[in-house]
Amino acid sequence: MPKSNPKLALSVSRDIPFDKLVLSQANVRRIKAGVGIEDLADDIARRTLLQSLTVRVVVDADGNETGMFEVPSGGRRYRALELLVKRKQLPRNAPVPCIIRTEGDAEEDSLAENIQRAPLHPLDQFRAFLALREKGQSEEEIAAHQFVSVAVVKQRLKLASVSPKILDAYAEDEITLDQLMAFTVNGDHERQEQVYERLAGSYDRQPYAIRRMLTEGAVRACDKRARFIDVDAYIEAGGGVMRDLFQGDDGGWLQDVGLVDLMVSERLREEAIKAQAEGWHWIDAAPDFPYGHTYGLRQLRGTPVEITAEEQATRDALQAEYDALAAEYEDLPELPDEVDERLGELETAIEALDQRPLTYDADEVARAGAFVSIAPDGSLRIERGFVRPEDELPIEPEQGAVSGDDNSHADNGTSHEGAQVDIESDNVEVAAEPEEDEGLRPIPDRLMSELTAHRTLALRDAVARSPEVAFHACLHALVLRLFYRYALDSCLELDAKHVGFGQQAPGLGDTASAQAIDARHQALADLLPSEPEALWDALGDMDGEQQKALFAHCIACTVNATFEAYNRRPRALVHADMLAKAVDLDMAAAGWTPTADTFLGRVTKARIVQAVAEAKGERAAESIAHLKKPDMAARAAVLLEGSGWLPEPLRTPGRAIPTPTESAFESPIDEAIVDADGLGEAQSAGDDGARSVADEAPIDDNAGAEGDTPFAVAAE
């Protein structure tokens, strides 16, 4: 007959007064972890004890019971109850629910209690927080009751709000916690599921790729258009904002691009109307203008408005406060935050008073106009006082000027002053000079030509023997052409061409190089007289360093190293390399970086892989070779960031190319280990901020990178 299983007898439980309990040395927990004793005491005070203590009878040396009980399992709960007794929130003899153990070892009981308990799955925790929120508890109340920050509550509620389909995938360990965090960027469940399906067949499912796909087409809150209209105003107008609660997002993404464009247009129109009221002949308003849009236009020279007595008093007070603060804290290695902030405010206020508005001649204003656009920092930018060629007053010929008719020596059988040409015999018969009447008459054109020809030769010889004068004359001609546009006050046949850019690169005008050139041009323009007639003497009054700086700027403005598909200039581009080598040009240091917009999204996949291999090595290149082109471009931008890698058209001959750094390549991150109380600190892979890029022209993704013309990229 089979032996029956013995009946199980559970340990006895009963209430034991707290003052009859003592801690046991058999408790295996020695290291503090989890919720602190004070937080646990507060929780017990709010909802009483939720779990009994496990105790054993204390006996004396003879084995007799002493009436005391030791606690091998539940030491943290015991200490929390002890703290409540000290606070006089709990009587010293308050009954405590206990389970009395008599069998086995105390250390084994303590170990089993801590090991065999199953931790709560993070998803269950997310849903529990959501259930509390749906029952009416505020985020602040949940945070207080669960002893976490409000930010952690917001994060967990955000995770619980992801599409149920994706949450189920997380529960089945099909996606990681970092990937789930990335899905919270966009709250649209349909869009989340579309991205999830798109990633299902991809090897690369990094969080940055998920974020990029969920935010493609949106406008970043740090974009100058968003700053221009103010994000708060956009939200008041009904626009939605996507936020990333798990890593820095620079303010999030504005979802309604149409609303952004509408608000930008409306504000630009309002600002244009205000500028029009100043009396300008025309106003051109746009979010941005191509770099060099003012070339060919004459800029008016305004007169700064005198500072008023009240404004001067305000400035003096601001300067005095600034000096006092700076003197008070000059010995400190680091300024307090509030002092640093105040100094910044004072600097801004003083700068605003120092930048005086300009006044212009009313007649000139009636012919000139202004450009209204958005500055890189999102502020309003108004460029006033530009005159278009068609609005210029007609130039009246000077009295007594020598005829400049280009046809005066045309081979048409007749020249001025009666010179007859025998076409058949090539014999020229020159008529005699006319009899001179009494009184002075203008010198005949032919004689003037002969005389000035002699003078020109002599002048050339004299200038050639005087390098200082030659430099002065060349600088004079260049400045006339580049600063005064339509002045014809030089006898030198020099033409300083300031070439524009036929295909405007996005954001070209906001680059550090463009801003430095514009600032230098304005600073030099302030040194020059308003009328071209006074320029010669003004240049002579400058010191050598000022002349050199002005000369270098004028020469630099004529540089044209741009590849033009319709005007191939191989020798000019070779000279551009020589010039770049001479100045040791480093485009990486100048601020150019390879992104999906600037390069990677506009070339073949083979060239993207080649770029990563050159900068990070073959291992990194192989890790992206299987990706689709948009994902490959975005991932490559992350890998190339800070590497100093440049495409061939931007490399300077003679400069060392950064060697591949295999060690710098980071493999995809492992799934984060989630602590129930540390979830808010979990970090995901960095978001490269890449936007969706539409190729300007179809590109064969299977085309090889070898043998391509280096400048083909620049021609796009």
Side-chain angles (χ1 to χ4, degrees), residues 57-290:
V57 176
V58 177
V59 296
D60 57 18
D62 297 329
N64 300 318
E65 295 184 3
T66 63
M68 300 295 291
F69 297 83
E70 62 178 0
V71 183
S73 301
R76 295 177 65 252
R77 279 165 279 158
Y78 174 86
R79 289 189 179 90
L81 293 172
E82 184 179 42
L83 180 59
L84 291 173
V85 171
K86 290 181 180 179
R87 292 177 179 175
K88 301 195 182 301
Q89 293 179 267
L90 185 72
R92 190 162 198 80
N93 60 351
V96 179
C98 297
I99 297 175
I100 302 175
R101 288 278 295 155
T102 57
E103 305 295 332
D105 296 325
E107 289 84 358
E108 184 180 1
D109 291 348
S110 178
L111 183 63
E113 182 181 82
N114 286 281
I115 289 181
Q116 294 181 8
R117 62 180 181 181
L120 187 66
H121 192 281
L123 182 56
D124 292 329
Q125 189 183 98
F126 307 156
R127 288 169 171 165
F129 274 58
L130 181 60
L132 295 176
R133 186 71 181 87
E134 291 174 347
K135 289 182 177 181
Q137 290 191 29
S138 67
E139 295 170 354
E140 291 74 14
E141 290 174 333
I142 297 174
H145 296 162
Q146 302 302 320
F147 307 103
V148 295
S149 67
V150 176
V152 170
V153 175
K154 291 180 180 293
Q155 289 176 338
R156 297 179 184 181
L157 291 175
K158 192 74 171 177
L159 288 165
S161 67
V162 175
S163 165
K165 180 178 180 180
I166 299 175
L167 290 178
D168 291 342
Y170 173 58
E172 298 297 327
D173 294 330
E174 295 177 6
I175 63 173
T176 66
L177 177 61
D178 285 333
Q179 292 169 332
L180 180 64
M181 291 176 181
F183 276 106
T184 65
V185 171
N186 191 329
D188 185 348
H189 285 187
E190 182 178 356
R191 179 60 181 153
Q192 290 174 354
E193 293 174 5
Q194 289 175 353
V195 171
Y196 179 73
E197 294 296 335
R198 182 175 171 182
L199 292 173
S202 173
Y203 291 98
D204 185 16
R205 303 167 69 180
Q206 293 297 317
Y208 78 88
I210 298 173
R211 287 185 173 89
R212 180 180 57 79
M213 286 187 283
L214 287 170
T215 58
E216 59 186 356
V219 178
R220 277 191 170 274
C222 59
D223 187 279
K224 68 179 184 179
R225 292 172 295 167
R227 294 182 180 181
F228 182 64
I229 62 175
D230 188 65
V231 176
D232 291 338
Y234 163 82
I235 295 174
E236 290 179 5
V241 178
M242 296 183 290
R243 297 301 306 267
D244 191 341
L245 299 182
F246 299 95
Q247 66 177 28
D249 59 5
D250 290 326
W253 295 263
L254 279 58
Q255 291 177 275
D256 195 338
V257 181
L259 179 59
V260 171
D261 292 339
L262 177 62
M263 294 181 68
V264 168
S265 298
E266 288 179 350
R267 188 181 170 196
L268 284 175
R269 188 182 303 110
E270 293 173 358
E271 298 296 344
I273 293 174
K274 294 178 183 177
Q276 187 82 55
E278 299 175 9
W280 299 107
H281 179 53
W282 53 266
I283 298 292
D284 197 353
D288 199 7
F289 290 103

Side-chain angles (χ1 to χ4, degrees), residues 242-543:
M242 296 183 290
R243 297 301 306 267
D244 191 341
L245 299 182
F246 299 95
Q247 66 177 28
D249 59 5
D250 290 326
W253 295 263
L254 279 58
Q255 291 177 275
D256 195 338
V257 181
L259 179 59
V260 171
D261 292 339
L262 177 62
M263 294 181 68
V264 168
S265 298
E266 288 179 350
R267 188 181 170 196
L268 284 175
R269 188 182 303 110
E270 293 173 358
E271 298 296 344
I273 293 174
K274 294 178 183 177
Q276 187 82 55
E278 299 175 9
W280 299 107
H281 179 53
W282 53 266
I283 298 292
D284 197 353
D288 199 7
F289 290 103
Y291 180 65
H293 62 285
T294 60
Y295 178 72
L297 308 181
R298 178 170 63 90
Q299 186 173 13
L300 303 183
R301 297 294 183 87
T303 303
V305 176
E306 293 292 336
I307 189 169
T308 65
E310 182 180 354
E311 289 174 333
Q312 185 63 52
T314 301
R315 192 199 183 286
D316 292 342
L318 293 172
Q319 187 66 54
E321 183 181 354
Y322 181 90
D323 294 340
L325 282 175
E328 181 180 354
Y329 294 95
E330 64 179 350
D331 295 332
L332 294 182
E334 186 174 352
L335 292 174
D337 292 340
E338 62 277 6
V339 174
D340 188 39
E341 182 179 357
R342 180 55 182 165
L343 288 175
E345 294 173 353
L346 292 172
E347 287 179 348
T348 302
I350 293 172
E351 184 180 358
L353 288 171
D354 288 342
Q355 293 179 348
R356 308 304 300 161
L358 301 177
T359 59
Y360 303 90
D361 181 81
D363 293 336
E364 293 277 35
V365 170
R367 289 193 300 273
F371 295 96
V372 179
S373 61
I374 306 174
D377 62 356
S379 61
L380 177 68
R381 175 167 54 190
I382 302 180
E383 301 168 280
R384 296 177 173 86
F386 291 92
V387 183
R388 292 169 172 168
E390 59 269 24
D391 295 326
E392 293 283 2
L393 292 177
I395 301 176
E396 298 181 0
E398 298 180 4
Q399 295 295 329
V402 177
S403 173
D405 188 355
D406 293 335
N407 296 323
S408 60
H409 301 286
D411 187 12
N412 57 5
T414 305
S415 65
H416 289 286
E417 301 299 333
Q420 301 294 327
V421 180
D422 186 346
I423 300 177
E424 294 182 359
S425 63
D426 291 337
N427 293 325
V428 179
E429 179 183 353
V430 180
E433 294 294 341
E435 294 288 340
E436 183 174 346
D437 297 334
E438 293 183 1
L440 295 176
R441 297 181 59 190
I443 298 176
D445 291 350
R446 180 177 180 82
L447 180 56
M448 284 293 298
S449 296
E450 292 178 359
L451 294 174
T452 53
H454 284 284
R455 182 174 182 272
T456 299
L457 285 177
L459 187 58
R460 287 180 179 178
D461 180 51
V463 171
R465 287 185 278 107
S466 180
E468 294 80 7
V469 175
F471 172 82
H472 190 156
C474 180
L475 179 59
H476 177 258
L478 292 173
V479 174
L480 280 174
R481 185 66 181 87
L482 295 171
F483 285 86
Y484 294 89
R485 310 301 185 194
Y486 301 101
L488 304 173
D489 300 63
S490 176
C491 65
L492 272 62
E493 295 289 342
L494 296 178
D495 187 11
K497 294 182 179 180
H498 190 167
V499 180
F501 299 89
Q503 295 188 358
Q504 175 73 20
L508 188 62
D510 295 337
T511 61
S513 297
Q515 293 178 9
I517 291 173
D518 293 342
R520 186 184 303 112
H521 190 91
Q522 186 59 49
L524 293 171
D526 293 339
L527 300 176
L528 303 176
S530 58
E531 298 300 329
E533 293 82 2
L535 177 62
W536 180 267
D537 292 337
L539 293 177
D541 294 337
M542 290 183 179
D543 59 37

